[in-house]
Every structure is written in structure tokens, then in C-alpha cells.
Amino acid sequence: MKAEWILNLKPGEDPEQKAQEWIREYDAFAEDFPDSRALADQLSQRVRNAAALLKGTHAADNLNLNGVPLGDPADMAFAGSWFSLPELVDIQMGWAVLADGRNDAQGDPHASVRQGFLRELEGKWQDALRCYQQGPEDPEIRRRMQYCRERTTAEGALCYAKAQELLLKLRQSEALKLLNRAAHLGNIDAAEQLALSPASKDREKALGLLRHAAGQNDPDACFALYRLYDQGIYPVQATEAERMLHQAADLGHAQAQTLTAEGIGLRPVRTILLEEIHAGSKDALWWMVQECEKQGDMEQAVEWLDKAIEANQLDALLATAQAYAEPGTEAYSRADAMDYYRRAARAGSLEALTALGDLELTDTHISFYDMALLLHSPDAPRKKPDKHMVEQHKKQLAWYTLAANAGAVGPMLVLSDAYAQGYPVEQDAAQAFFWANQGAGAGDPLCMYKAARMLEQGNGVQQNLPEAVRLYEQAALKGMAQAAERLWQIYATGLGAIHPNRRKAAFYHRRTNRR
């Protein structure tokens, strides 16, 4: 690496003075992060050597430093134009997050380039590309954009290939995660495979990704949407499929051009759905209901709905349950609603479990978790819930507990509140922490903050300040301003064995001010 790049030397600057600036920043960083002292000393020696080399008092040697951020010459040369010296030190020392947004005013055209480089360091190639696209026109930025595109494509292809290997080994859940990752990286094959998935959420995400890519004139995405229609994926309607086929042909897709040249039209929806039904697709039964309703053929719609319900198709069960659960309608029947929700729950619906809990409220619209908070608020009602209401709330809580045990994150938070407030159950700080921590593990920032507060206070769990700070930091990086504020306070003054840290305090103070 060139000595000028190491020092980030600008025209007219003295190498020795610039080296001293770097060394002061390395020392200041090591004061805030004592464990980084060895690396700070190593980097300090490197800038001394670079200055001596430029002054002619040091023999030329290898100034590269592999394995350290900005150890690559191209990265250092680029970053030196966009970041201040203290920010470059933060990045080199492995704390690029501290440079995130430090001097970025809203609307600053150069801020997006800085953000793009930081996203690159995290391996978030697509995010980096989007940031760079908003930056000024510059040949070096264009080169980095192309690099991000190449990395995105390569990583997407790798994830897709690994997913196929896992599917052959019948490791479905692991394969699904990799397929989702590949699809989000723009891999069209992965997105199409997910769109054929029986999981409706995966299908919706995949179709959204394909439509976005088609909107960017990706011919493979256009043709994939056409092909999904022909495979009975009902959310892709005939008009969209036909438009996508012609768009793919116009963009040069060979197979699409052949089909349009031969005048091959779209097959009727019902024909496709019948094929899928005969092949055993439960979803096709539900889509046939929707198609019949769309065409005004209500008699056929009812017949297909009965078949979908008989097959325990989840959407059909939920739709029927919701129809029965609507008060004030001719169809209203609490008993029938609960029956269909139970069937949906047995088919794997977490939504059905919480809906069953809500149906336990026959005399009130106030949930157990709202009542728990209300009873401990300044506006608490004078009249406490009677025994009958408490019993209803206990039954609702029991269903929510089943949903939380099955992995539903929302119920985890409200269960934590219920146990913390002591309604409609006995107050139990350990259970309150348990559910907040479960939600934190599932990635919910509010649960992270709640669990961190309890860990900090030793409430319901043995006090653990390092773990509390870890959860605060995770929550803050997910946008939880209260967590950022608490971290600012902790790092400004210190807490127990956690020493004050001016860099971290400044970082979290900035995030507090973003509210």
C-alpha cells in the first residue's frame, strides 16, 4: 500500500505531522477500548514507517495490513476521500458503527456514499449499492457499484446452490432460510422456487421480489412471473402474466420470444387450477374458490370452499372462521368460529391461536394485556375487573401462551407485561423476564429493551450488566430510541464495571437525537 494512502496525506501536508495525528487518534481509541491496544500500537508503527519512507529515512517495505478493515489499498484510497481521520481510525479498529452518521446531515449528497461504504464493510452489498446509486457521479463510485453487483450475484448463486444441497438431504428449514437469502440477493431461481412454496408468507415475499426485479427490466424475473401463472400460482393473474411474457420477449428472453412468435396464448385459469388440484395442491382449492367468486359463479365457489375446508386448507379455514366471528352479521356464531379457528390452529396457524384467545372475551373488548397496563396507569379505573372478567382474561392468556410457545413474537411481549403487572396472573418477575427474553431472541426490539432493563436492575433475573448492554445495543441498532438513550447515559458516566466511553456515548447520543 502506498505510504500516502496509509497517512491519507493531502497535498501540502507534512508526513511526520500527519503521522502524529494518526497516533494521537489510535491512542485515544485505545483509551476507550483497552483491549485494542495491541492493534493500535501496530497501526501506529505503520504510520511512523510510512512517514519515514516519504521522508527518505526508512527503507521501502510491505506496508499492507491484511485482515484489518481498510487493509486493502483500494478501500483505503477510497475511504480516505469520504471519512475524517477519527472516523478512519474507528473503521480500522473494527468499530465502523461509530462512524455511522457522525457527520451526515440529512439531505447531504455525500452522506449516501459514506453509508454505502459502511454497508460494504458489513457485507450488505444490496444496501451498499442502493446508497451508492444516490451519490454523486464519480468513476470510483461506479466501480464500487459494479463490485457490489458482482458480490450480490455471486452470494445469491452460492446460497441457492447450498439450498438445493440441503433440500436433497431433506433439511427443509435450513434450505428455506438460504432460499430466502438468495431471493433477497436477487437470485431469480430462488425467488421462483419460494413462490411455489406452500408457505403463503414466503410466496408473498418472493412474488414481491420478482415484481420488483421485473420493474427493473430483468427478463428472467418477467418470465418467471409468467411461468408461475402457468403453474397455478393464482396471485399472478392472467393480465399480469401476459404483460410479463411480452416484456420478457421485448427484453430479449429467448424462450419468451419463441412463445410470443408462435402465438401461444395463456391457458385458462380454471384449467391450470384443476391440474394443480388433481396433483394434490390444497392451495389450488382455495384459489379456485376465489376465481369462481371473481367470475360470479357463487354456486361453484361454495362447492370448492367445502372441498378446501375438507382438505384443511389454512386460508379457507381462517376465512370461514372470520366470517362466523364477525358480531352483528347473519353468519355470526361464536361456537362455529372457535371450531374453525381450532382446526386452523391444528393446521399450524399462530394467528388462529390468538384469535381463539380473543373469542374468550364475551363481555368486554378490553384484552388482558391492555387491562394489565390500565390497572397500573394514572388513569386506572376505580372499579376493578370482576371475577367473571378475570376468568375470561385468564382464558385469553392461556391461548396467547400457546401461541408464544409456538413462536409467535407479539404474544411474548404481552405475556411479559401481564406477569410484570400481575394481571390476570400472579405477579412473577421471573416469568416476565422469560417472555421478554424469548421475544428478544426472536429479534423484537421492544422485547430486547424490556429484557435489558430487567437484566440491568436484576429484576426477575440475576443482574448481568454486560448482557443488558448487549441487548440495549441490539435494540438501539434496530431503531429503539429508548435503548439508545440508556446507552448514552451508561457510556457517558459508566455503570458498574462498564467504564465511560466517549466514542460510544457520542454515537448513541446521535441515535437518541434521531427521534
Side-chain angles (χ1 to χ4, degrees):
M1 185 184 293
K2 291 183 178 180
E4 294 89 341
W5 292 348
I6 290 172
L7 294 168
N8 196 28
L9 202 65
K10 303 295 190 294
E13 290 184 323
D14 179 70
E16 290 183 352
Q17 288 182 3
K18 195 62 179 277
Q20 289 305 312
E21 290 180 34
W22 281 96
I23 292 168
R24 282 195 296 272
E25 284 299 328
Y26 289 136
D27 285 341
F29 190 97
E31 285 179 15
D32 285 334
F33 298 88
D35 291 345
S36 68
R37 171 51 68 184
L39 178 57
D41 290 344
Q42 185 181 7
L43 289 166
S44 294
Q45 187 58 50
R46 190 172 71 141
V47 296
R48 289 191 188 95
N49 292 345
L53 181 63
L54 291 172
K55 287 287 190 179
T57 59
H58 184 79
D61 61 10
N62 181 16
L63 296 174
N64 292 342
L65 195 60
N66 297 324
V68 174
L70 303 184
D72 177 77
D75 284 349
M76 186 62 186
F78 180 76
S81 300
W82 298 97
F83 294 90
S84 67
L85 194 152
E87 290 171 334
L88 292 172
V89 168
D90 289 340
I91 295 170
Q92 283 184 327
M93 301 301 290
W95 279 88
V97 67
L98 298 177
D100 194 348
R102 174 180 286 178
N103 295 316
D104 293 347
Q106 192 165 1
D108 179 358
H110 299 286
S112 58
V113 179
R114 291 159 48 83
Q115 290 295 312
F117 185 77
L118 294 174
R119 299 296 81 77
E120 258 199 84
L121 292 178
E122 297 171 357
K124 297 179 179 178
W125 313 113
Q126 287 176 302
D127 290 344
L129 179 59
R130 281 191 286 270
C131 290
Y132 284 141
Q133 287 170 337
Q134 298 170 21
E137 184 66 24
D138 181 87
E140 184 57 35
I141 293 174
R142 285 200 300 272
R143 281 192 286 272
R144 298 199 80 89
M145 287 169 62
Q146 182 58 33
Y147 175 72
C148 289
R149 290 190 187 98
E150 292 169 358
R151 289 300 303 264
T152 298
T153 301
E155 189 175 340
L158 181 62
C159 289
Y160 179 72
K162 286 184 177 179
Q164 303 314 302
E165 293 176 9
L166 290 170
L167 286 171
L168 290 174
K169 297 176 182 178
L170 302 180
R171 292 160 65 179
Q172 302 283 347
S173 61
E174 295 173 72
L176 192 59
K177 289 179 182 177
L178 282 174
L179 280 175
N180 270 289
R181 174 66 179 155
H184 279 89
L185 287 166
N187 188 284
I188 302 302
D189 291 332
E192 186 173 0
Q193 192 168 343
L194 278 175
L196 293 166
S197 165
S200 59
K201 287 185 179 179
D202 292 322
R203 184 188 303 121
E204 290 168 9
K205 289 179 184 177
L207 289 174
L209 292 168
L210 286 171
R211 285 170 175 142
H212 175 75
Q216 302 295 313
N217 288 326
D218 185 316
D220 292 327
C222 295
F223 193 70
L225 285 164
Y226 158 76
R227 193 160 47 206
L228 286 169
Y229 166 85
D230 201 56
Q231 293 176 86
I233 301 303
Y234 186 72
V236 181
Q237 294 287 287
T239 52
E240 181 183 18
E242 186 171 14
R243 187 176 74 256
M244 289 295 101
L245 175 62
H246 288 286
Q247 186 174 333
D250 292 342
L251 291 168
H253 193 283
Q255 196 173 349
Q257 289 176 333
T258 301
L259 291 173
T260 53
E262 293 176 357
I264 297 175
L266 301 180
R267 295 191 297 154
V269 176
R270 287 203 190 190
T271 300
I272 297 170
L273 291 177
L274 281 171
E275 285 182 4
E276 295 300 312
I277 290 168
H278 292 320
S281 170
K282 291 183 181 181
D283 288 339
L285 289 167
W286 173 242
W287 290 334
M288 184 66 89
V289 175
Q290 293 177 282
E291 180 61 22
C292 291
E293 288 180 346
K294 182 180 174 182
Q295 295 180 3
D297 189 349
M298 301 310 295
E299 185 176 342
Q300 282 287 299
V302 170
E303 289 183 16
W304 285 113
L305 178 61
D306 289 340
K307 292 178 181 179
I309 290 171
E310 185 180 353
N312 282 327
Q313 201 282 332
L314 194 54
D315 295 296
L317 293 172
L318 287 172
T320 305
Q322 288 161 4
Y324 281 125
E326 189 64 35
T329 63
E330 187 177 339
Y332 175 71
S333 170
R334 179 174 174 273
D336 286 332
M338 294 196 77
D339 177 54
Y340 281 102
Y341 274 131
R342 283 192 178 95
R343 290 178 62 177
R346 287 194 291 271
S349 171
L350 301 184
E351 175 191 344
L353 289 170
T354 55
L356 283 163
D358 296 341
L359 282 172
E360 296 289 357
L361 307 181
T362 56
D363 301 321
T364 179
H365 295 296
I366 302 175
S367 65
F368 74 86
Y369 46 90
D370 284 336
M371 181 61 75
L373 297 174
L374 184 61
L375 289 173
H376 289 79
S377 73
D379 300 323
R382 293 181 180 179
K383 185 179 179 182
K384 304 300 181 185
D386 59 27
K387 183 178 179 180
H388 184 59
M389 183 182 291
V390 172
E391 286 303 313
Q392 290 180 35
H393 282 150
K394 285 182 176 180
K395 290 179 181 178
Q396 186 188 26
L397 181 140
W399 286 110
Y400 274 63
T401 302
L402 288 175
N405 279 321
V409 179
M412 294 175 185
L413 178 63
V414 296
L415 285 172
S416 178
D417 288 338
Y419 281 106
Q421 304 296 347
Y423 182 88
V425 288
E426 291 294 324
Q427 193 170 44
D428 188 332
Q431 278 292 301
F433 172 76
F434 172 80
W435 285 115
N437 199 44
Q438 290 290 105
D444 182 78
L446 192 52
C447 284
M448 290 174 182
Y449 175 73
K450 187 178 181 70
R453 290 291 289 179
M454 299 185 80
L455 281 161
E456 180 186 346
Q457 297 164 357
N459 181 17
V461 63
Q462 186 175 355
Q463 187 183 53
N464 187 331
L465 295 180
E467 179 63 10
V469 167
R470 185 186 72 82
L471 286 175
Y472 278 138
E473 288 178 340
Q474 286 187 1
L477 292 177
K478 283 178 171 284
M480 178 62 63
Q482 297 98 312
E485 185 170 8
R486 183 65 190 127
L487 287 166
W488 166 43
Q489 295 165 350
I490 289 171
Y491 286 121
T493 61
L495 180 68
I498 299 170
H499 300 294
N501 187 312
R502 61 184 179 85
R503 290 174 185 259
K504 286 189 175 184
F507 171 71
Y508 288 113
H509 187 232
R510 290 196 302 274
R511 288 190 168 264
T512 300
N513 289 337
R514 288 181 183 179
R515 284 184 290 181

